[in-house]
Amino acid sequence: MDLEKIMADLEKKNPGQPEFLQAVKEVLETIEDVIKENPKYEANNIIERIIEPDRVISFKVEWLDDKGKVNVNRAYRVQFNNAIGPYKGGMRFHPSVTLGSLKFLGFEQTFKNALTTLPMGGAKGGSDFNPKGKSNAEIMRFCHALMTELYKYVGPDTDIPAGDIGVGGREIGYMYGMYKKLTNTHNGVFTGKGRNWGGSLIRPEATGFGNVYFAEEMLKTRGESIKGKIVAVSGFGNVSWGSIIKANQLGAKVVTISGPDGYVYDPDGISGEKIDYLLDLRASNQDIVKPYTYEFPNAQFFEGKRPWEVKCDVALPCAIQNELNAEDAQNLVNNGVMCVSEGANMPCTPEAMEIFLKAKILYAPGKASNAGGVATSGLEQTQNAMKLNWTAEEVEEKLRQIMINIHEACVKYGKEEDGYVNYVKGANVAGFIKVADAMIDQGVI
Ligand code: NDP
C-alpha cells in the first residue's frame, strides 16, 4: 500500500476537508501490516473503496424564526458504508458542521459500529444550524423542515439516525414526529427516542457510561481501577454528563468540566446535586460553563483555557474534535496521567496521540471507548423490533459486556511485542477486518 499516494489522491479529491483526511490517515497508518499480510485486500482494491462514502446527500433547509424571518441552512447525510448492516450514526447541529467534518465522522462511525459486534453500517449527518439561543418553537420548526427532505433517505432497514452534538431527546422527538407523519409509520427509525415512545433506558447515559467502563478495563490491565482516581473531563454535554455519573459511581473524583469559554476546576469534586445542575446549565441553552462557579463558589473558572493543565490520573475528553493538542498531551503526561479515554470523536490531535503512545500510557481512541452510545442505540433497535422494553439493569449489563468485548478486540489486535497495548491500532485493525471482509464477501456492487 502506497500511503503517500493514497493520501495525495484523497486530498486532491476532497479539498478543504482536513478532518476527513486526518481520520483516514490515522486508520491507514495502523493497518499497513494487515494489508501487507493479506493480499486479498489489495486484490479487491478495498482501501480505495472503503475511504469513499457510498452516498452523500446535501440539501437546503428553510425555516421561519419567531420574528417571521426566513432562514436557510445546509444539511447533509453521509451514508458511508453499509457492508455489515443498515447505515447508522448521529445527526449533529453545530455551526462548525461541514461536509468534511461529517465525512470524518461517518468514516469513523463505520469502524466503531463494526467494533460493537452489532450489525450496523456507518453514517453521519447534520447541519450548520446553531441551536444556541433558539426558542423551542424555532428548534421544532427547524427539525420539522429538515425532516421533510431527510425522510426520503432513512428507514429502519436503510439508515437509522441518532443524536450527537446539539441533538438530544427533544430534537430526535421533533424529527421523528415529522418522519412518522410523512411516512405514516411508527417503525423506530431514530434511536435516542423518548422512553414512552420506543426509546431505550440508559441510552442518554450510554456513551459516557461506556467510556468509563472502557477506561476501567484499560486500568485493569495494569492492576489498577478508577476507584479513588482524580478525573479531568472536558465539555458539559451529554457524553460528559454520562461519564461524570459513572466515574462517581465507581468511586472516582471528577474535578473539571469545560465549555468553549474555558474550564471549571472544582477541587471538591463534581457529584450529586452538581451533576443535576449541569443538566440545568445545558437546558438554559447558553454556551458558557462559567455560571457553575456562581452556584458552587469553591470552584474556579479559567477563561479561554482547557482542563488538561490540571493534575489528574484519568483524562476523559468529551467535547469536540481536536480539543486536546500536543501541548495539552505533554502537560497531562508530565503531570502523571495514567489513562486517556476519548468520549468525543477524535478529540486528540495526531500530535497529541503520538505523545500518549510514546509515553506508553493507556490511551483509547473514541471509536472504541465511545462506542457504547451507538451500541445502546443498537439495543434500542432490537427492543423496537421485538416490541418490548428491557429494564435499565438489563440494558446496562449488555452495554458493559459490549465494552468488555471491544476492549478484548483492541487487545487482540493492538498488543505489541513489549506487551504495550496500542488501542488505536487494535481498534482500527479489528474494525477494518470486519468491514473489509464483508465487502469482499458481497463482491463489487
Ligand atoms: P453535546 O452537544 O451534548 O455536548 C458537547 C459539549 O462540548 C458541550 O458542553 C459544548 O459546549 C462543549 N464544547 C463544544 N465545543 C467546545 C470547545 N471548543 N471546547 C470545549 N467544549 C466545547 O454533545 P455530545 O455530548 O453528544 O457529544 C460530544 C462528543 O461526543 C462529540 O464529539 C460527539 O460526536 C461524541 N459522541 C457523542 C455520542 C452521543 O451519544 N451523544 C456518541 C459517540 C460520540 P457548548 O454547548 O457550549 O458548545
Side-chain angles (χ1 to χ4, degrees):
M1 172 170 74
D2 185 346
L3 187 59
E4 260 179 43
K5 181 170 180 326
I6 293 171
M7 289 312 301
D9 289 348
L10 195 69
E11 196 165 352
K12 216 157 116 194
K13 246 182 165 175
N14 302 276
Q17 299 184 0
E19 291 151 327
F20 176 50
L21 300 177
Q22 180 184 335
V24 170
K25 187 159 182 247
E26 182 222 285
V27 170
L28 297 190
E29 276 173 351
T30 53
I31 59 167
E32 275 187 298
D33 289 348
V34 181
I35 302 290
K36 217 180 287 165
E37 287 157 16
N38 297 277
K40 64 179 176 180
Y41 297 130
E42 292 224 67
N44 285 280
N45 199 14
I46 285 296
I47 297 299
E48 205 178 326
R49 291 164 63 193
I50 215 167
I51 60 180
E52 184 69 23
D54 289 351
R55 192 171 299 106
V56 170
I57 299 141
S58 167
F59 55 98
K60 175 175 71 166
V61 183
E62 297 179 344
W63 58 280
L64 276 180
D65 66 22
D66 288 345
K67 293 190 181 110
K69 181 174 163 251
V70 182
N71 292 264
V72 180
N73 283 95
R74 188 175 285 179
Y76 307 92
R77 188 74 184 161
V78 178
Q79 296 179 332
F80 217 101
N81 186 302
N82 68 353
I84 62 166
Y87 302 108
K88 174 108 198 82
M91 293 290 289
R92 176 177 290 192
F93 294 168
H94 195 270
S96 70
V97 163
T98 59
L99 178 56
S101 62
L102 296 178
K103 277 167 71 178
F104 124 63
L105 289 161
F107 180 74
E108 291 275 299
Q109 194 82 42
T110 301
F111 299 100
K112 180 191 307 191
N113 292 2
L115 282 172
T116 64
T117 69
L118 302 176
M120 299 183 290
K124 200 80 188 185
S127 170
D128 57 3
F129 171 73
N130 186 359
K132 284 281 143 58
K134 302 290 188 299
S135 70
N136 191 43
E138 288 173 329
I139 301 269
M140 182 178 74
R141 286 196 291 271
F142 175 78
C143 291
H144 283 172
L146 178 139
M147 217 51 216
T148 58
E149 182 65 22
L150 187 63
Y151 87 98
K152 298 171 189 166
Y153 309 101
V154 297
D157 298 316
T158 313
D159 184 355
I160 307 99
D164 191 73
I165 292 180
V167 178
R170 176 180 58 168
E171 292 76 15
I172 301 271
Y174 292 147
M175 287 191 277
Y176 186 65
M178 183 52 90
Y179 170 84
K180 195 168 62 74
K181 178 155 183 143
L182 291 170
T183 59
N184 197 23
T185 54
H186 199 314
N187 53 23
V189 73
F190 274 83
T191 55
K193 298 186 290 296
R195 287 182 192 164
N196 53 351
W197 44 278
S200 174
L201 289 163
I202 303 290
R203 175 61 189 92
E205 296 90 341
T207 308
F209 277 22
N211 186 25
V212 174
Y213 281 136
F214 198 91
E216 184 73 339
E217 287 306 303
M218 289 199 288
L219 287 161
K220 270 191 208 161
T221 64
R222 297 198 175 170
E224 292 277 356
S225 140
I226 201 164
K227 191 169 179 193
K229 299 285 185 298
I230 301 292
V231 178
V233 171
S234 62
F236 67 113
N238 177 264
V239 178
S240 316
W241 167 75
S243 299
I244 295 170
I245 294 175
K246 186 49 72 184
N248 272 288
Q249 283 177 2
L250 296 184
K253 184 178 183 182
V254 178
V255 292
T256 64
I257 47 172
S258 72
D261 54 332
Y263 79 91
V264 163
Y265 172 65
D266 186 340
D268 300 335
I270 300 167
S271 61
E273 56 163 350
K274 296 173 177 176
I275 301 178
D276 299 335
Y277 176 75
L278 280 182
L279 287 181
D280 294 344
L281 200 56
R282 291 293 296 160
S284 69
N285 209 9
Q286 41 182 350
D287 62 353
I288 52 172
V289 74
K290 191 176 178 183
Y292 181 98
T293 57
Y294 310 150
E295 198 71 16
F296 306 105
N298 258 2
Q300 271 178 285
F301 178 67
F302 294 88
E303 190 166 356
K305 297 209 160 182
R306 294 186 291 266
W308 317 123
E309 58 189 23
V310 166
K311 185 169 169 51
C312 63
D313 306 304
V314 175
L316 305 175
C318 295
I320 201 159
Q321 63 265 20
N322 292 327
E323 55 156 315
L324 194 161
N325 64 21
E327 190 189 338
D328 299 321
Q330 200 55 60
N331 278 339
L332 284 167
V333 170
N334 292 348
N335 281 329
V337 76
M338 301 166 80
C339 171
V340 178
S341 192
E342 296 184 344
N345 285 311
M346 212 168 74
C348 299
T349 63
E351 297 77 23
M353 194 189 306
E354 210 42 61
I355 289 169
F356 293 144
L357 294 178
K358 205 163 148 221
K360 298 207 183 269
I361 63 151
L362 301 165
Y363 164 63
K367 67 168 76 68
S369 46
N370 73 29
V374 73
T376 308
S377 280
L379 299 177
E380 181 172 322
Q381 287 176 254
T382 307
Q383 292 169 80
N384 292 164
M386 293 164 75
K387 307 222 183 300
L388 55 76
N389 300 315
W390 291 326
T391 63
E393 291 73 25
E394 281 175 288
V395 177
E396 190 171 345
E397 184 43 34
K398 287 180 170 52
L399 162 66
R400 199 178 67 87
Q401 195 53 51
I402 288 171
M403 298 316 294
I404 292 172
N405 295 345
I406 296 174
H407 182 266
E408 274 172 14
C410 291
V411 172
K412 178 176 173 191
Y413 291 106
K415 203 167 204 162
E416 296 180 339
E417 275 171 13
D418 62 358
Y420 176 66
V421 180
N422 181 332
Y423 287 90
V424 180
K425 181 174 178 196
N428 287 341
V429 171
F432 171 80
I433 290 177
K434 186 163 176 189
V435 177
D437 287 356
M439 289 170 74
I440 293 173
D441 289 348
Q442 292 163 24
V444 179
I445 42 179

